Short mmCIF file of all heavy atoms in Angstrom, two decimals:
data_model
loop_
_atom_site.label_atom_id
_atom_site.label_comp_id
_atom_site.label_asym_id
_atom_site.label_seq_id
_atom_site.Cartn_x
_atom_site.Cartn_y
_atom_site.Cartn_z
N HIS A 1 115.64 156.15 222.06
CA HIS A 1 115.02 154.90 221.56
C HIS A 1 114.51 155.07 220.17
O HIS A 1 113.44 154.48 219.84
CB HIS A 1 113.97 154.36 222.45
CG HIS A 1 114.50 154.05 223.88
ND1 HIS A 1 115.42 153.17 224.19
CD2 HIS A 1 114.18 154.74 225.14
CE1 HIS A 1 115.65 153.23 225.46
NE2 HIS A 1 115.01 154.17 226.03
N MET A 2 115.16 155.82 219.33
CA MET A 2 114.66 156.05 217.94
C MET A 2 115.00 154.81 217.10
O MET A 2 115.79 154.10 217.31
CB MET A 2 115.36 157.27 217.30
CG MET A 2 115.00 158.58 217.95
SD MET A 2 115.56 159.97 216.96
CE MET A 2 114.32 159.93 215.65
N LYS A 3 114.08 154.65 216.06
CA LYS A 3 114.32 153.52 215.21
C LYS A 3 113.83 154.04 213.71
O LYS A 3 112.79 154.61 213.64
CB LYS A 3 113.48 152.31 215.54
CG LYS A 3 114.15 151.47 216.76
CD LYS A 3 113.45 150.18 216.92
CE LYS A 3 113.99 149.31 217.91
NZ LYS A 3 113.27 148.02 218.09
N LEU A 4 114.63 153.61 212.76
CA LEU A 4 114.26 153.84 211.35
C LEU A 4 113.42 152.69 210.88
O LEU A 4 113.54 151.52 211.34
CB LEU A 4 115.54 153.96 210.48
CG LEU A 4 116.55 154.93 210.92
CD1 LEU A 4 117.71 154.76 210.00
CD2 LEU A 4 115.97 156.42 210.82
N ASP A 5 112.43 153.00 210.02
CA ASP A 5 111.63 151.90 209.35
C ASP A 5 111.43 152.34 207.87
O ASP A 5 110.83 153.40 207.64
CB ASP A 5 110.33 151.79 210.09
CG ASP A 5 109.58 150.52 209.56
OD1 ASP A 5 109.07 150.62 208.34
OD2 ASP A 5 109.54 149.49 210.19
N PHE A 6 111.87 151.56 206.95
CA PHE A 6 111.83 151.88 205.54
C PHE A 6 110.69 151.16 204.87
O PHE A 6 110.63 151.10 203.61
CB PHE A 6 113.09 151.56 204.83
CG PHE A 6 114.31 152.40 205.18
CD1 PHE A 6 115.40 151.90 205.94
CD2 PHE A 6 114.39 153.75 204.83
CE1 PHE A 6 116.41 152.65 206.29
CE2 PHE A 6 115.40 154.46 205.12
CZ PHE A 6 116.44 154.04 205.89
N GLY A 7 109.69 150.69 205.55
CA GLY A 7 108.53 150.03 205.11
C GLY A 7 107.76 150.74 204.06
O GLY A 7 107.08 150.17 203.22
N ALA A 8 107.78 152.11 204.14
CA ALA A 8 107.01 152.92 203.24
C ALA A 8 107.79 153.57 202.09
O ALA A 8 107.24 154.33 201.36
CB ALA A 8 106.26 154.08 204.00
N ILE A 9 109.04 153.10 202.06
CA ILE A 9 109.86 153.68 200.87
C ILE A 9 110.90 152.65 200.27
O ILE A 9 111.40 152.82 199.27
CB ILE A 9 110.59 155.02 201.35
CG1 ILE A 9 111.14 155.72 200.13
CG2 ILE A 9 111.70 154.68 202.39
CD1 ILE A 9 111.71 157.07 200.51
N GLY A 10 111.31 151.70 201.13
CA GLY A 10 112.31 150.77 200.75
C GLY A 10 112.01 150.09 199.45
O GLY A 10 112.92 149.79 198.58
N LYS A 11 110.83 149.61 199.30
CA LYS A 11 110.52 148.76 198.13
C LYS A 11 110.50 149.65 196.87
O LYS A 11 111.01 149.20 195.84
CB LYS A 11 109.05 148.20 198.35
CG LYS A 11 108.80 147.08 197.25
CD LYS A 11 107.61 146.20 197.78
CE LYS A 11 106.33 146.93 197.88
NZ LYS A 11 105.16 146.03 198.10
N GLY A 12 110.12 150.87 197.01
CA GLY A 12 110.21 151.76 195.87
C GLY A 12 111.69 152.09 195.49
O GLY A 12 112.03 152.12 194.34
N PHE A 13 112.48 152.32 196.50
CA PHE A 13 113.94 152.51 196.24
C PHE A 13 114.55 151.31 195.55
O PHE A 13 115.30 151.51 194.61
CB PHE A 13 114.62 152.73 197.60
CG PHE A 13 116.06 153.09 197.58
CD1 PHE A 13 116.45 154.27 197.17
CD2 PHE A 13 116.97 152.17 197.88
CE1 PHE A 13 117.85 154.72 197.07
CE2 PHE A 13 118.38 152.52 197.91
CZ PHE A 13 118.83 153.74 197.47
N ALA A 14 114.24 150.15 195.99
CA ALA A 14 114.75 148.88 195.35
C ALA A 14 114.23 148.77 193.89
O ALA A 14 114.97 148.33 193.01
CB ALA A 14 114.32 147.67 196.19
N LEU A 15 113.01 149.17 193.65
CA LEU A 15 112.46 149.18 192.33
C LEU A 15 113.23 150.06 191.34
O LEU A 15 113.64 149.65 190.31
CB LEU A 15 110.94 149.57 192.33
CG LEU A 15 109.92 148.52 192.51
CD1 LEU A 15 108.59 149.18 192.71
CD2 LEU A 15 109.90 147.50 191.36
N ASP A 16 113.57 151.22 191.87
CA ASP A 16 114.41 152.15 191.06
C ASP A 16 115.67 151.58 190.63
O ASP A 16 116.19 151.67 189.60
CB ASP A 16 114.52 153.55 191.71
CG ASP A 16 113.33 154.41 191.85
OD1 ASP A 16 112.53 154.29 190.91
OD2 ASP A 16 113.08 155.08 192.79
N LYS A 17 116.35 151.02 191.63
CA LYS A 17 117.70 150.37 191.43
C LYS A 17 117.66 149.19 190.45
O LYS A 17 118.44 149.07 189.50
CB LYS A 17 118.33 149.97 192.74
CG LYS A 17 118.58 151.11 193.74
CD LYS A 17 119.69 151.96 193.31
CE LYS A 17 120.02 153.05 194.33
NZ LYS A 17 121.13 153.91 193.88
N ALA A 18 116.52 148.39 190.59
CA ALA A 18 116.46 147.22 189.74
C ALA A 18 116.16 147.57 188.28
O ALA A 18 116.66 147.07 187.33
CB ALA A 18 115.29 146.30 190.28
N LEU A 19 115.21 148.61 188.15
CA LEU A 19 114.92 149.09 186.77
C LEU A 19 116.08 149.73 186.13
O LEU A 19 116.27 149.55 184.95
CB LEU A 19 113.77 149.98 186.80
CG LEU A 19 113.04 150.29 185.52
CD1 LEU A 19 112.42 149.00 185.03
CD2 LEU A 19 111.95 151.35 185.67
N ASN A 20 116.95 150.32 186.90
CA ASN A 20 118.19 150.94 186.31
C ASN A 20 119.10 149.95 185.69
O ASN A 20 119.70 150.20 184.67
CB ASN A 20 118.85 151.76 187.41
CG ASN A 20 118.32 153.08 187.74
OD1 ASN A 20 117.38 153.56 186.99
ND2 ASN A 20 118.66 153.61 188.84
N ILE A 21 119.15 148.71 186.26
CA ILE A 21 119.96 147.72 185.78
C ILE A 21 119.41 147.27 184.39
O ILE A 21 120.10 147.02 183.40
CB ILE A 21 120.08 146.49 186.78
CG1 ILE A 21 120.79 146.83 187.88
CG2 ILE A 21 120.59 145.25 186.02
CD1 ILE A 21 120.82 145.75 188.98
N LEU A 22 118.09 147.09 184.23
CA LEU A 22 117.53 146.69 182.92
C LEU A 22 117.73 147.77 181.93
O LEU A 22 118.04 147.42 180.77
CB LEU A 22 116.00 146.47 183.17
CG LEU A 22 115.65 145.34 184.22
CD1 LEU A 22 114.17 145.12 184.27
CD2 LEU A 22 116.31 144.00 183.73
N ARG A 23 117.52 149.03 182.31
CA ARG A 23 117.74 150.20 181.29
C ARG A 23 119.14 150.15 180.85
O ARG A 23 119.41 150.53 179.68
CB ARG A 23 117.25 151.50 181.92
CG ARG A 23 115.82 151.57 182.30
CD ARG A 23 115.38 152.91 182.79
NE ARG A 23 115.40 153.84 181.81
CZ ARG A 23 114.45 154.68 181.54
NH1 ARG A 23 113.30 154.67 182.30
NH2 ARG A 23 114.44 155.58 180.53
N ALA A 24 120.12 150.06 181.75
CA ALA A 24 121.50 150.09 181.35
C ALA A 24 121.94 148.95 180.43
O ALA A 24 122.80 149.14 179.71
CB ALA A 24 122.42 150.04 182.72
N ALA A 25 121.19 147.96 180.43
CA ALA A 25 121.43 146.89 179.49
C ALA A 25 120.75 147.05 178.24
O ALA A 25 120.72 146.04 177.32
CB ALA A 25 121.00 145.53 180.21
N ASP A 26 120.11 148.14 177.98
CA ASP A 26 119.38 148.52 176.66
C ASP A 26 118.25 147.59 176.43
O ASP A 26 117.83 147.35 175.25
CB ASP A 26 120.33 148.47 175.54
CG ASP A 26 121.52 149.43 175.59
OD1 ASP A 26 121.13 150.52 176.11
OD2 ASP A 26 122.55 149.10 175.12
N VAL A 27 117.53 147.12 177.50
CA VAL A 27 116.25 146.53 177.40
C VAL A 27 115.21 147.63 176.93
O VAL A 27 115.20 148.65 177.55
CB VAL A 27 115.72 145.87 178.65
CG1 VAL A 27 114.27 145.34 178.53
CG2 VAL A 27 116.70 144.72 179.05
N SER A 28 114.48 147.44 175.85
CA SER A 28 113.64 148.45 175.26
C SER A 28 112.46 148.59 176.05
O SER A 28 111.83 149.70 176.02
CB SER A 28 113.38 148.04 173.81
OG SER A 28 112.54 146.88 173.70
N ARG A 29 111.99 147.67 176.79
CA ARG A 29 110.68 147.74 177.50
C ARG A 29 110.79 146.81 178.74
O ARG A 29 111.13 145.64 178.54
CB ARG A 29 109.55 147.29 176.58
CG ARG A 29 108.34 148.13 176.56
CD ARG A 29 107.39 147.67 175.44
NE ARG A 29 106.00 147.84 175.81
CZ ARG A 29 105.37 146.74 176.12
NH1 ARG A 29 105.84 145.53 176.05
NH2 ARG A 29 104.08 146.80 176.53
N ALA A 30 110.37 147.34 179.90
CA ALA A 30 110.32 146.46 181.03
C ALA A 30 109.32 146.98 182.01
O ALA A 30 108.93 148.14 182.07
CB ALA A 30 111.74 146.59 181.71
N LEU A 31 108.85 145.98 182.84
CA LEU A 31 107.86 146.26 183.82
C LEU A 31 108.15 145.39 185.02
O LEU A 31 108.38 144.09 184.90
CB LEU A 31 106.42 146.00 183.37
CG LEU A 31 105.31 146.30 184.38
CD1 LEU A 31 104.13 146.93 183.72
CD2 LEU A 31 104.83 145.08 185.06
N ILE A 32 108.12 145.97 186.23
CA ILE A 32 108.36 145.14 187.46
C ILE A 32 107.05 145.46 188.34
O ILE A 32 106.71 146.57 188.68
CB ILE A 32 109.63 145.68 188.30
CG1 ILE A 32 110.74 145.78 187.35
CG2 ILE A 32 109.79 144.79 189.42
CD1 ILE A 32 112.05 146.27 188.06
N ASN A 33 106.49 144.34 188.70
CA ASN A 33 105.33 144.32 189.57
C ASN A 33 105.82 143.73 190.98
O ASN A 33 106.10 142.59 191.13
CB ASN A 33 104.15 143.45 188.97
CG ASN A 33 102.91 143.42 190.01
OD1 ASN A 33 102.98 144.08 191.00
ND2 ASN A 33 102.00 142.66 189.65
N PHE A 34 106.04 144.68 191.96
CA PHE A 34 106.59 144.33 193.17
C PHE A 34 105.53 144.34 194.33
O PHE A 34 105.42 145.40 194.97
CB PHE A 34 107.82 145.25 193.50
CG PHE A 34 108.79 144.72 194.53
CD1 PHE A 34 108.56 143.44 195.19
CD2 PHE A 34 109.83 145.45 194.93
CE1 PHE A 34 109.44 143.00 196.10
CE2 PHE A 34 110.69 144.99 195.87
CZ PHE A 34 110.48 143.76 196.48
N GLY A 35 104.80 143.30 194.48
CA GLY A 35 103.76 143.24 195.50
C GLY A 35 102.67 144.28 195.23
O GLY A 35 102.11 144.76 196.20
N GLY A 36 102.47 144.63 193.98
CA GLY A 36 101.42 145.59 193.77
C GLY A 36 101.88 146.93 193.43
O GLY A 36 101.12 147.81 192.84
N GLN A 37 103.18 147.29 193.76
CA GLN A 37 103.69 148.55 193.24
C GLN A 37 104.40 148.32 191.94
O GLN A 37 105.03 147.30 191.73
CB GLN A 37 104.71 149.14 194.17
CG GLN A 37 105.29 150.50 193.70
CD GLN A 37 106.09 151.25 194.68
OE1 GLN A 37 106.25 150.82 195.79
NE2 GLN A 37 106.73 152.33 194.25
N ILE A 38 104.14 149.23 190.92
CA ILE A 38 104.56 148.92 189.57
C ILE A 38 105.56 149.98 189.23
O ILE A 38 105.54 151.13 189.61
CB ILE A 38 103.33 149.29 188.59
CG1 ILE A 38 102.16 148.32 189.01
CG2 ILE A 38 103.80 148.97 187.21
CD1 ILE A 38 102.39 146.86 189.04
N SER A 39 106.63 149.44 188.57
CA SER A 39 107.65 150.34 187.90
C SER A 39 107.90 149.91 186.60
O SER A 39 107.96 148.63 186.25
CB SER A 39 108.99 150.31 188.76
OG SER A 39 109.90 151.20 188.25
N ALA A 40 107.86 150.82 185.54
CA ALA A 40 107.96 150.45 184.23
C ALA A 40 108.60 151.44 183.27
O ALA A 40 108.69 152.67 183.63
CB ALA A 40 106.60 150.15 183.66
N TYR A 41 108.93 151.10 182.13
CA TYR A 41 109.31 152.02 181.09
C TYR A 41 109.20 151.45 179.68
O TYR A 41 109.18 150.17 179.57
CB TYR A 41 110.74 152.58 181.27
CG TYR A 41 111.91 151.66 180.79
CD1 TYR A 41 112.36 151.81 179.50
CD2 TYR A 41 112.35 150.67 181.55
CE1 TYR A 41 113.38 151.04 178.93
CE2 TYR A 41 113.34 149.77 181.06
CZ TYR A 41 113.81 150.06 179.80
OH TYR A 41 114.85 149.16 179.29
#
């Protein structure tokens, strides 16, 4: 009866993927605030 739960890592994983899209498009500066978790460059 095992179950996976990505509640403690899934949002961060999605942030990395979303920021990669912006960086690949040569955006010079970007910030994502995802429910209080921040990813930026």
Side-chain angles (χ1 to χ4, degrees):
H1 301 297
M2 295 193 75
K3 282 189 175 182
L4 305 173
D5 188 288
F6 291 111
I9 194 171
K11 193 159 67 172
F13 184 74
L15 272 171
D16 286 329
K17 297 292 186 179
L19 196 65
N20 285 343
I21 290 176
L22 299 178
R23 296 183 71 131
D26 294 327
V27 172
S28 62
R29 223 169 142 260
L31 183 141
I32 307 176
N33 179 4
F34 198 1
Q37 182 172 354
I38 307 299
S39 186
Y41 83 94

